[in-house]
Amino acid sequence: MSNLARIRQAAGVLDGVARRTPLLSSPFLDEIAGRRVLVKAECLQHTGSFKLRGAWFAISQLPEADRARGVIAFSSGNHAQGVAYAARAAGIPAVIIMPQDAPALKIANTRALGAEVVLYDRATEDRDAIGAELSTTRGLSLIKPFDNADVIAGQGTVGLEIAQDAAALGIEQADVLVCCGGGGLTSGVALGLSETRLRARPVEPEGFDDVARSLREGQIVHNAALTGSICDAIITPAPGQITFPILAQRCGPGLTVTDDQALRAVALAFQRLKIVVEPGGAVSLAAALFHPDLVEGDTVICVATGGNVDAAMFTRALTTLEG
């Protein structure tokens, strides 16, 4: 299982590879939230999301012979691009299984990074089964998007950076809101914050809050639907077998936001912070801005997890500010 020592090892491997992304702020966002809001801009990371961190570290830890045969991953786009980027840098093949309804930009970017893309219907086909079959027949190493200890450790470097930057700003206690799908980033951040009084909290789209419900019920529960939200980056069936115990032990209660709130957060992030965030990467900011009564402390830290958004969706978000 991932732990703080493993995350520190990942930080060493990623030094000079991953960007150290900034904590951004705006007095206008503070006014809306009623407290200081700090945004960890992982949308500025290579490939446009935090996913590079976990993908790079996981690939670096494969035995040399396995790594040479190549890797396979399944993703709606951000993990896909992270794995494709890391695989290209390592000079190894990458096969990425992506849902047919993933944003066209993410599919195109993954192919542009040199990966072979295999599309599937997420409503009728089992991506795990597809991945297992291809992994076996081609001898590829499967890099899971969240339920992988090395992936969690790589994502946990986000938490280490937040802990260090918060300390430099004199912040001793705060909720750290994390956009959450299967829980790889959220569990990694929670572990990265484990020597602080900062508390990680998962944020999900309304109707796809499997992590929040699992935390409330004390056991893994599944979403009834697998499609139906614009927050494609964080739609997963259920938290992972590895991630859930970490989430249950180390995270505060989950939060949910509507698609409309996520869109408005996308627009406000652009207007006030000058960053481009996709809907699934903006739910943390949406929770801070539109559910301030559910957040504790004078400061809230939000991880803006990704910025891979199609022009049409971004335009749709910007229209929420009209008038």
Side-chain angles (χ1 to χ4, degrees):
M1 182 175 289
S2 297
N3 54 38
L4 188 56
R6 190 70 165 162
I7 293 172
R8 287 176 173 147
Q9 178 191 358
V13 170
L14 290 167
D15 186 29
V17 174
R19 290 175 177 148
R20 187 185 180 100
T21 54
L23 283 179
L24 305 177
S25 63
S26 162
F28 299 99
L29 299 182
D30 295 351
E31 183 177 359
I32 295 172
R35 55 171 57 84
R36 178 163 59 163
V37 177
L38 299 175
V39 177
K40 175 71 167 168
E42 278 295 295
C43 52
L44 301 178
Q45 189 56 259
H46 298 297
T47 74
S49 89
F50 72 95
K51 290 287 191 176
L52 168 73
R53 297 173 183 261
W56 190 286
F57 184 61
I59 289 174
S60 78
Q61 299 305 294
L62 291 173
E64 185 175 348
D66 294 343
R67 186 166 60 248
R69 285 192 293 270
V71 295
I72 187 169
F74 37 82
S75 166
S76 66
N78 288 335
H79 180 60
Q81 291 172 81
V83 170
Y85 182 100
R88 185 176 68 173
I92 62 174
V95 177
I96 310 296
I97 304 164
M98 303 183 69
Q100 293 173 345
D101 61 348
L105 176 67
K106 294 181 179 181
I107 295 173
N109 285 351
T110 303
R111 286 179 171 145
L113 288 167
E116 175 188 347
V117 174
V118 176
L119 299 176
Y120 77 101
D121 185 336
R122 73 167 106 202
T124 62
E125 295 181 283
D126 184 345
R127 71 178 187 180
D128 292 334
I130 296 170
E133 180 180 357
L134 286 172
S135 178
T136 300
T137 57
R138 301 194 191 184
L140 304 171
S141 295
L142 178 61
I143 308 295
K144 293 185 177 181
F146 52 85
D147 225 19
N148 175 300
D150 290 330
V151 168
I152 293 170
Q155 320 302 30
T157 59
V158 173
L160 278 186
E161 292 177 11
I162 290 173
Q164 293 161 359
D165 291 346
L169 292 170
I171 301 168
E172 297 182 355
Q173 189 169 357
D175 278 349
V176 178
L177 308 187
V178 187
C179 310
C180 188
L185 175 63
T186 311
S187 59
V189 168
L191 288 166
L193 299 175
S194 58
E195 291 186 345
T196 75
R197 294 170 62 197
L198 305 177
R199 179 177 68 161
R201 297 184 64 184
V203 186
E204 300 166 286
E206 195 173 78
F208 299 90
D209 56 342
D210 49 290
V211 171
R213 290 184 291 112
S214 295
L215 291 176
R216 287 197 301 269
E217 296 185 24
Q219 61 182 350
I220 292 176
V221 299
H222 290 68
N223 287 320
L226 297 178
T227 61
S229 170
I230 61 173
C231 301
D232 63 282
I234 54 174
I235 294 177
T236 52
Q241 296 295 323
I242 297 176
T243 61
F244 180 66
I246 302 171
L247 298 170
Q249 181 181 15
R250 297 189 176 276
C251 287
L255 300 163
T256 61
V257 301
T258 66
D259 279 3
D260 286 345
Q261 289 169 338
L263 280 175
R264 188 164 177 79
V266 169
L268 288 168
F270 176 71
Q271 182 185 57
R272 300 305 184 186
L273 300 176
K274 310 308 177 189
I275 58 174
V276 174
V277 188
E278 62 192 280
V283 297
S284 57
L285 178 59
L289 297 179
F290 308 127
H291 297 286
D293 55 317
L294 300 179
V295 179
E296 296 182 7
D298 297 329
T299 298
V300 60
I301 301 171
C302 310
V303 184
T305 51
N308 293 306
V309 58
D310 285 344
M313 183 63 70
F314 191 63
T315 301
R316 178 180 166 188
L318 295 182
T319 62
T320 67
L321 297 182
E322 291 181 356

